[in-house]
Amino acid sequence: MFRAIHPIAGVIGFLTILVFWTSTLYSELFATHATVAAVKSMIVSGLFVLVPAMIIVGASGMSLGRRRKDAPALAKKKRMPIIAMNGLLILVPAAIYLSAKANAGFFDTSFYTVQIVELIAGATNLTLMGLSIRDGRAMTARKKMRARSESSI
């Protein structure tokens, strides 16, 4: 069951962060303060999708990879704490802070400083998650090839 849930939760997490990131960038560059505030509010609401997806992908990944020692699995295990800490310590608090500031109409230096930090942290998580998705797909492909070669013998 984890084999089916893990990639689905990973893609949901990745796509959710991608939507948050691109919506933020677009609204900041091309939209009004009212639109920025709306985007920030929607991002906080979207945390109710993102956080469970990330918990599921982390727990299922630890369960699936607990005995694996191959390079892609070890790389994924090294990335996971960085992704989690980045999300919990930077992205979630930044989303809540930015939403509160934007909804109060305070687009000041602290807002834009935190916004830049959030965009950098989001891009970092997207990169790390993308690498983990790539490694997971490679691990699955190798396992299928091994199974095919063993069945043809």
Side-chain angles (χ1 to χ4, degrees):
M1 181 151 120
F2 283 142
R3 292 202 193 296
I5 291 172
H6 182 73
I8 293 167
V11 169
I12 289 170
F14 179 85
L15 291 176
T16 303
I17 293 172
L18 182 62
V19 167
F20 290 176
W21 198 89
T22 55
S23 298
T24 292
L25 194 61
Y26 180 83
S27 68
E28 289 291 348
L29 293 175
F30 304 113
T32 65
H33 282 153
T35 303
V36 171
V39 166
K40 293 300 169 191
S41 292
M42 286 188 262
I43 288 172
V44 170
S45 296
L47 292 176
F48 292 101
V49 172
L50 177 61
V51 171
M54 296 306 290
I55 291 169
I56 291 166
V57 77
S60 61
M62 290 302 279
S63 176
L64 289 169
R66 71 177 163 265
R67 292 188 182 109
R68 294 190 69 135
K69 303 286 188 228
D70 52 296
L74 293 174
K76 286 177 65 123
K77 287 178 188 181
K78 285 182 183 177
R79 285 185 208 112
M80 191 171 23
I82 297 166
I83 293 167
M85 297 311 272
N86 192 12
L88 287 173
L89 299 178
I90 298 171
L91 292 173
V92 170
I96 294 166
Y97 174 81
L98 292 168
S99 178
K101 293 281 277 190
N103 285 305
F106 295 129
F107 295 94
D108 54 8
T109 304
S110 66
F111 176 89
Y112 288 108
T113 301
V114 173
Q115 183 60 82
I116 290 168
V117 169
E118 183 191 47
L119 286 168
I120 293 168
T124 300
N125 265 14
L126 285 170
T127 301
L128 295 174
M129 291 171 73
L131 291 170
S132 288
I133 290 169
R134 178 203 63 193
D135 288 347
R137 290 176 54 91
M139 290 163 54
T140 301
R142 256 185 301 221
K143 189 173 184 177
K144 285 180 183 178
M145 283 179 53
R146 230 180 295 124
R148 270 191 238 135
S149 68
E150 288 173 5
S151 67
S152 65
I153 295 177

